[in-house]
Amino acid sequence: MMTADKIKELIETVDRVSLIDAFVADKNGTLSGKIKVKSGGNVHDTEWSVKISPTYPFRLMDMEPIHFINSALIDYSHIMENGSLCKHPAEYENPEEQFVHDLGQLIEWIDEYYIKEKKDEHYEHLVVNHNLIRDQYFTYCFAETQEEFENEDYGFVSYANIAQGRKNKKEILNFVVQKFTSTKQVRKIENPCRISRAYLNLESNYGIYCLLKEAPSAHNKFIIKDFDSLKDLFSQSQKDFIHTFEKQYRNKIQYFPLFCGYKLPDGSIHWQAMVLHMDDLPIEPFHIGTGRNRVWHTDFKSGKIPWCQTEDISYKYFFGRGAMPQELADKKILIMGVGAIGSTIAESLTRCGAKRITVYDIDDKEPGNVCRSAYPFYSGITEKTQDIIDALQRISPHVECDSLKSLLDVVVKKIAAEEKDMQFIAKLFNAYDVIFDCTTDNQLMRVIDNSGITAQVINLSITNYAQDLVCAFSPNITETVRLIYKVLNRDTESDLYNPTGCWAPTFKASFNDIACKVQFALKHIIRMLSEQEPRENFYVTEDETNLIINRL
Amino acid sequence: MNKNNHLKEVLDTHKMYHVQDFVDKVKNRREEIKEKMYNHYGNKKYQAFDSGSFAKHTAINVKFDLDLVEPFKHSTFGTLQEMFDDVYDFLVEEYKNTGVSIRKQKVSIGITFPIEKGDDKPVELDIVPGRELNDDDYPETNDLNLYFNEDHWGFTKGTSQKTNIQKQIDHIKGKNDEREIIRLLKIWKKQKEKKYKSFVIELTVIKAFEDYNGDTDLWSRLKFAMEYLRDNIADSSFHLYDPGNTNNDVVSSMSDFDRQSFKTDMESMLNNIDRDPDTYLPYYFKVNEKYSDGYKEKNSGTVYPNSPKRFG
């Protein structure tokens, strides 16, 4: 535990740092004092108030346990609104070492950002505090739009509700922006966000957007907090439009978002929303001219701006932390058979950034499917295709999903039985770039082989207990699959799971048994489809310690 | 299983004489085109000659090319593109309203005749127009400039490449042992629909056997060629120079990914055949069942479960 004496002792060991005001503890145990750090040369020395938490060196609720504060330095990089230095220190086991290291980091910042006035190259969004607005939190997600915006553009924002959340026992209202409709010109121009149709088609609410003259920033890093500082960034037409909107929606809605847009250094538009309540709008009328020449306009009243959390969910940010190669994400993917393997593939590809997924299955989802596939119980008994599409759309606003009707099975098998028009089957499947056949339907597998499909088909199946996973690429899938099953020589008849009722026995394996092999296989498949690894048929086995890929 | 007997059966069932009637049809068509070209161009060109896998004796009955090279005199055309377009225009005009399809390909003009009753596929021929490098030097050098109509082998559309098809054919002449291995690898390539160039296989196998003094049986030779491919094809210091133009490194036009894939293919095949030849040799090198006389090497050809019990 840190004490004032120990701090004094430690400060004396650190070059360039000296104590100005001795540290004292308040009733909560927080130690406060003041130090000076020499800059050297002709640069002024800096003085810092220091606050040390009684939990030091432990972080509490992700908050740093030590603060170095100097409000006069707010214009410098990494100095927060309250004047404290934002830092991410290395962790030490004992408080003494930690304190000396923290002082070292402070000196490092002074040398780099104060003396040399370094500016970081990467752009950081304006800091916005997400406060409660009438006892609720509001969050809005937007994505890049299909078209660019005119300067000082303004108009309607269409946005839809998504699920509610909770934070600190308060409700979070979550919304996703669907489109911007410009009313700057006489003809309205719609500019939808680049998100899936599923989100664009949700029921819409309406708000306002205004593209500001410049970023609403204070000290180049914090958002402006009051309307007085903000109002000059709006054009008069934009401010007048807020009143127009109010007239149109008065008594129809309780609140609406006002999206303030500004250009980022890379040319893209960032939006920051505030929530305005109809019964207390921060606008007031004023007029210019007199008599018959008098014209009324709108301006903001003084007051604090009710900013709310606004997130850019454009594809590049949504999948910024990790995705499969873009070339593969852009492909049209068909997943046939969305059982244990197919549903996991569908979910994984969606989380990896897939943009177009079609699913096909002839079965309904039953409660018994949930334990080893990507389905929730909550959605009840329903068509597997519908359930997985719902799940995928909930995961990603960037995946377009649809399904092939189960009638496909009838059509394909009928054509195959009559041995004619196989080109029709090929044409049907060639509408896709990549097809995962997870149906385990041996007849369908043979039909696909014989139809001359040029799309890349990947056939996946597992043996009982998910002991092995078999992956065969087109062409000639059937012979490869048959060969691998012969090589594996697993007992396929005994110890299967027999559901109650007149059902075909099924295999036994847990979600973990299956998913670990599916993910391992999918990692290689993604690499193979992206030409990062030679494309070869393979099967996955395991020994006591490893999953093993066996290539053909 | 006896690997040599199996491989011999693979080669035998892929021999061209099984499709002799069809080959004759193609040859007749080729003669027809030769005659038309001669009648049209007369002494503006030299005598046409046959090339492709048939001329090199590396053809297999599931995939073979009977190409026709037409060497033009230097003074006949101002540019190589004019030569290419003129031959194309002539053939289009000549076969107008006959159901014959003529198309411009990478370095050749493809001709497809209407499929005849009883045939599995139509007669197809490639005409390769080339121009001698300088006035009257062809009879002595056999060198020709080919026109690249599409991006191909690292060359861009509109450019040209010097080659000597006669030297390419001579390069493989008399190399019967190599040709067997080339045919086996081409059978594998066709069955597995691999995109590697036959010319790369051909040159690599010939190079591999330059100093070969190992066992002479089929499997030993095939294994040696596959090991050679595995050990060299992805190596950046490995080169394969076109016998028709030693400035043209054929392997350098393959992408790194293709070279690595080729290496991995050979690696997997060798490992699997070594581990379980009865299963894997007939998987990688399949007998052409259509021309198999029913004889089966004992234990060759695995009996697979028809409908394996699969789960998913």
Side-chain angles (χ1 to χ4, degrees), chain B residues 199-254:
Chain B
F199 196 34
V200 168
I201 292 176
E202 188 183 307
L203 293 180
T204 312
V205 171
I206 291 170
K207 189 170 181 172
F209 285 100
E210 273 171 5
D211 301 314
Y212 182 72
N213 53 12
D215 291 339
T216 55
D217 63 287
L218 257 182
W219 167 242
S220 297
R221 285 185 285 129
L222 175 62
K223 186 172 178 230
F224 179 77
M226 288 166 69
E227 285 169 345
Y228 187 86
L229 272 160
R230 177 196 64 192
D231 297 341
N232 291 287
I233 196 72
D235 186 337
S236 57
S237 65
F238 182 67
H239 305 287
L240 287 172
Y241 296 108
D242 177 359
N245 179 357
T246 48
N247 289 323
N248 178 21
D249 179 8
V250 175
V251 81
S252 71
S253 64
M254 283 179 81

Side-chain angles (χ1 to χ4, degrees), chain A residues 442 459 462 476 480 486 551, chain B residues 191 272 279 283 310-312:
Chain A
N442 290 328
N459 187 298
I462 48 173
N476 309 322
T480 303
K486 184 255 173 188
R551 299 168 189 274
Chain B
Q191 287 175 348
N272 289 325
T279 299
Y283 171 70
R310 301 184 297 134
F311 302 109

Side-chain angles (χ1 to χ4, degrees), chain A residues 523-539:
Chain A
K523 181 177 177 64
H524 286 283
I525 292 167
I526 288 172
R527 286 174 54 80
M528 288 177 185
L529 294 176
S530 312
E531 298 206 341
Q532 294 171 5
E533 182 179 322
R535 192 175 304 180
E536 288 185 304
N537 301 309
F538 66 87
Y539 57 99

Side-chain angles (χ1 to χ4, degrees), chain B residues 136-162:
Chain B
D136 308 325
D137 69 357
Y138 174 75
E140 200 173 321
T141 63
N142 289 326
D143 284 345
L144 290 172
N145 268 325
L146 303 185
Y147 175 71
F148 286 99
N149 180 55
E150 293 173 21
D151 293 353
H152 184 47
W153 286 28
F155 296 98
T156 42
K157 179 178 164 63
T159 61
S160 63
Q161 172 71 19
K162 184 197 110 173

Side-chain angles (χ1 to χ4, degrees), chain A residues 132-171:
Chain A
L132 278 167
I133 300 169
R134 297 200 181 182
D135 222 27
Q136 287 176 313
Y137 291 103
F138 291 74
T139 73
Y140 292 87
C141 294
F142 67 93
E144 61 184 329
T145 51
Q146 294 176 8
E147 306 294 334
E148 292 193 347
F149 290 89
E150 267 187 55
N151 284 340
E152 297 183 15
D153 199 358
Y154 61 89
F156 296 98
V157 173
S158 306
Y159 66 97
N161 299 42
I162 53 175
Q164 282 192 8
R166 287 196 76 75
K167 182 164 84 173
N168 302 333
K169 297 184 178 175
K170 302 291 182 189
E171 215 168 45

Side-chain angles (χ1 to χ4, degrees), chain A residues 498-509:
Chain A
N498 288 288
T500 52
C502 183
W503 291 98
T506 183
F507 66 106
K508 290 180 178 174

Side-chain angles (χ1 to χ4, degrees), chain A residues 340-341 440 442 446 459 461-462 475-476 479-480 482-483 485-486 492 507 531 533-534 536-537 551-552, chain B residues 191-193 257 261 264-265 268 272 275 279-280 283-284 286 302 304-312:
Chain A
I341 296 177
T440 70
N442 290 328
R446 284 194 287 272
N459 187 298
S461 59
I462 48 173
N476 309 322
E479 68 168 345
T480 303
R482 286 165 62 187
L483 175 125
Y485 273 83
K486 184 255 173 188
T492 57
F507 66 106
E531 298 206 341
E533 182 179 322
E536 288 185 304
N537 301 309
R551 299 168 189 274
L552 261 62
Chain B
Q191 287 175 348
K192 303 297 179 206
E193 295 187 26
F257 176 73
S261 297
T264 312
D265 277 337
S268 303
N272 289 325
R275 200 174 64 227
T279 299
Y280 285 101
Y283 171 70
Y284 294 122
K286 279 195 295 185
T302 308
Y304 303 135
N306 252 332
S307 285
K309 195 88 179 164
R310 301 184 297 134
F311 302 109

